[in-house]
Amino acid sequence: MLHKKSSNNNLMIKALAGSVMTAAIVIPIASANVQATSVSKTMLKDVPKSHWAYESIKQVAEKGLVTGYEDGTYKPSAQVTRAEFATFLSRVFDGNDRTPSKFSDVEASHWANDAIQEGLAVGFIKASDFSNNKFEPNKAMTRGEMSRWLANGLAHANADYGKAIEEMSNSSLTIIPIPEFYGGGVNKKDLPYIGVALGTGLLSGYKDFTFKPNGNTTRAEVATILIRFMDAMKKAPYDYTGLKELREVASTGTNILTISSFEKTKYGGYEEVLGKPHTYLNNTGVATIEHAIFVDTTGSKPKGIFKDMFFNEKGEDKILLNKGIYSIYYEYTFKPSRDVSVQSVSNGSNLHFASNLLVDKSKIALFNLSSPKSTSTNEFLKGETYRYWASNGVMPKPGEMFGSRTDDDSMFYYEPK
């Protein structure tokens, strides 16, 4: 249902344009002092070739990153603890720098102490992330924590990853395409790190698109993650389109330049108009654009890191595919001057400040998006302020621009490259 705007709640609609508007996881550690030992691939008797992670497990075992146990097992379904993951990552970096640990529960004799000291030196472990000066080495790693360690590790390898983290951390425009972003269940401080993990493909969501930040990770999954991590260390952030999209959104409120074939004109881009009022010509109220998220639907499959958040290719949205159209998902703030419906707002309004179609219901439910229940009911009430998502579409046409302006004549206009 549609909600009124409040300081603690962002509300949104998605309305898909039917036509172009204009140019995870468990290891009972036998003992805190029992660790895996080096083992050849032939000794991993509990990882058959049919196992989904066989190749990754074989690679990390051969590299000595995640080794098997003395009994010849790998325990692919076992959870990974903080001490273990510190050890795995320290083996990837294999450096000589150490920062003495001040954790009260990690003695100098602890089997993972050296790895933890290397983690502190490299920076994938931050002492400030732990309360009461306790590391809790036997605690299972959460996916949120793992994202943080991995992103910090990438920042050590390439400072621009650190800039990406900073951009998403410090911006009110940041959106991370997981259901927990609007639905809760995630530490807000973890969001930029999850963004880096998603943007580089180190971690991904589940079938229901949830990220499960508080969920755990198995040794099989970690093997795959470590292979991806080593590959990411060789690349720069700009090599990942998804991460570029997230950074552009954090900086400008849109991902248009990363995911589409449009470029800004001399009149400016979306960042020039964000939060600025636009009064509708039909006197239904005043709106502002807060975000403009693009999904590439020009081909047979939707593309972009936000596609699963907004576009349902198995539903009615599929009619937009293969028509050269980019789907746009606008987040608006709207204050009606009278009781109006979505349809009333769109009639006579600028096409990029209103839409008359609703969000796909499955996306509303999955990503905790707010939406009107119908296009014809007067759900916007006079005097109240609403924040919601709606959709639009645009097709690149040579020589044609699309855009609009706000009441103070701030403008955004784009044209095909």
Side-chain angles (χ1 to χ4, degrees):
M1 59 187 290
L2 185 68
H3 300 286
K4 299 173 184 176
K5 180 186 176 185
S6 70
S7 58
N8 296 318
N9 188 26
N10 287 340
L11 313 160
M12 27 192 97
I13 302 178
K14 163 196 161 208
L16 278 172
S19 60
V20 179
M21 294 299 184
T22 168
I25 315 178
V26 183
I27 177 178
I29 299 225
S31 158
N33 295 318
V34 175
Q35 311 127 51
T37 58
S38 292
V39 61
S40 72
K41 61 182 180 180
T42 58
M43 293 176 64
L44 301 178
K45 59 187 180 183
D46 58 346
V47 185
K49 289 186 177 181
S50 59
H51 192 283
W52 69 268
Y54 173 78
E55 289 298 330
S56 295
I57 291 172
K58 183 177 72 170
Q59 286 187 56
V60 296
E62 289 174 344
K63 294 176 184 295
L65 301 178
V66 186
T67 52
Y69 290 84
E70 291 180 353
D71 63 357
T73 64
Y74 182 87
K75 295 182 172 60
S77 298
Q79 289 181 348
V80 175
T81 67
R82 287 174 175 172
E84 289 177 313
F85 198 58
T87 300
F88 302 157
L89 280 187
S90 71
R91 289 169 178 165
V92 171
F93 285 99
D94 194 25
N96 296 318
D97 293 336
R98 300 291 185 273
T99 296
S101 167
K102 295 181 179 180
F103 296 120
S104 62
D105 55 351
V106 181
E107 301 291 339
S109 59
H110 191 282
W111 66 268
N113 181 56
D114 187 68
I116 293 169
Q117 288 190 358
E118 184 175 359
L120 289 167
V122 169
F124 65 77
I125 296 175
K126 304 286 188 184
S128 58
D129 290 338
F130 302 89
S131 60
N132 301 319
N133 207 34
K134 290 186 176 182
F135 185 73
E136 297 183 272
N138 296 325
K139 188 173 183 178
M141 287 285 293
T142 67
R143 284 165 57 84
E145 287 176 324
M146 194 166 287
S147 297
R148 183 181 288 266
W149 289 24
L150 292 168
N152 283 334
L154 289 179
H156 176 78
N158 186 324
D160 197 29
Y161 283 107
K163 292 180 182 178
I165 295 169
E166 185 177 353
E167 289 166 4
M168 288 186 280
S169 296
N170 298 333
S171 174
S172 62
L173 299 173
T174 295
I175 297 177
I176 306 301
I178 58 175
E180 294 92 345
F181 183 80
Y182 288 115
V186 57
N187 186 334
K188 289 186 178 181
K189 292 182 179 180
D190 285 337
L191 286 171
Y193 302 96
I194 292 173
V196 171
L198 287 173
T200 57
L202 290 176
L203 279 80
S204 58
Y206 291 86
K207 289 183 179 180
D208 62 356
F209 306 113
T210 59
F211 188 79
K212 294 181 173 50
N214 297 315
N216 303 126
T217 307
T218 63
R219 284 167 59 87
E221 290 172 317
V222 162
T224 301
I225 291 168
L226 289 173
I227 297 299
R228 294 171 182 168
F229 180 71
M230 289 187 291
D231 183 58
M233 287 178 66
K234 303 173 187 176
K235 298 180 179 180
Y238 58 75
D239 292 323
Y240 294 99
T241 300
L243 186 54
K244 286 176 65 177
E245 288 184 72
L246 294 177
R247 296 181 73 176
E248 187 184 354
V249 170
S251 298
T252 66
T254 184
N255 59 338
I256 182 174
L257 300 181
T258 299
I259 200 65
S260 81
S261 60
F262 287 100
E263 61 185 0
K264 285 192 294 188
T265 68
K266 62 181 180 181
Y267 303 108
Y270 283 113
E271 64 270 26
E272 303 296 330
V273 304
L274 296 183
K276 296 181 179 180
H278 170 91
T279 302
Y280 291 139
L281 298 176
N282 59 2
N283 296 318
T284 51
V286 178
T288 63
I289 292 176
E290 307 294 344
H291 284 94
I293 305 299
F294 279 63
V295 174
D296 183 356
T297 51
T298 58
S300 60
K301 289 288 185 181
K303 297 178 182 179
I305 199 166
F306 291 98
K307 64 180 176 61
D308 293 329
M309 185 173 186
F310 292 108
F311 191 85
N312 183 7
E313 62 179 304
K314 295 181 180 180
E316 294 182 0
D317 294 1
K318 64 185 178 183
I319 65 172
L320 295 173
L321 295 172
N322 260 339
K323 294 182 173 62
I325 299 169
Y326 287 100
S327 296
I328 314 172
Y329 300 88
Y330 284 116
E331 184 186 25
Y332 299 125
T333 296
F334 176 54
K335 186 171 184 177
S337 56
R338 53 188 171 88
D339 294 358
V340 292
S341 65
V342 170
Q343 186 66 55
S344 297
V345 170
S346 65
N347 289 337
S349 301
N350 179 277
L351 292 175
H352 292 280
F353 274 91
S355 176
N356 63 351
L357 296 174
L358 301 181
V359 178
D360 180 90
K361 291 183 179 180
S362 68
K363 297 304 180 181
I364 296 171
L366 287 170
F367 286 87
N368 303 289
L369 304 176
S370 298
S371 172
K373 294 180 180 179
S374 74
T375 58
S376 57
T377 304
N378 290 347
E379 295 183 52
F380 296 124
L381 306 180
K382 178 181 178 180
E384 302 294 346
T385 301
Y386 300 87
R387 194 170 176 122
Y388 66 95
W389 288 91
S391 79
N392 205 319
V394 66
M395 178 185 290
K397 294 182 179 180
E400 291 188 11
M401 297 188 298
F402 82 88
S404 187
R405 65 178 67 204
T406 56
D407 292 348
D408 67 356
D409 280 336
S410 296
M411 294 179 284
F412 72 91
Y413 280 94
Y414 293 87
E415 62 186 359
K417 294 177 183 178

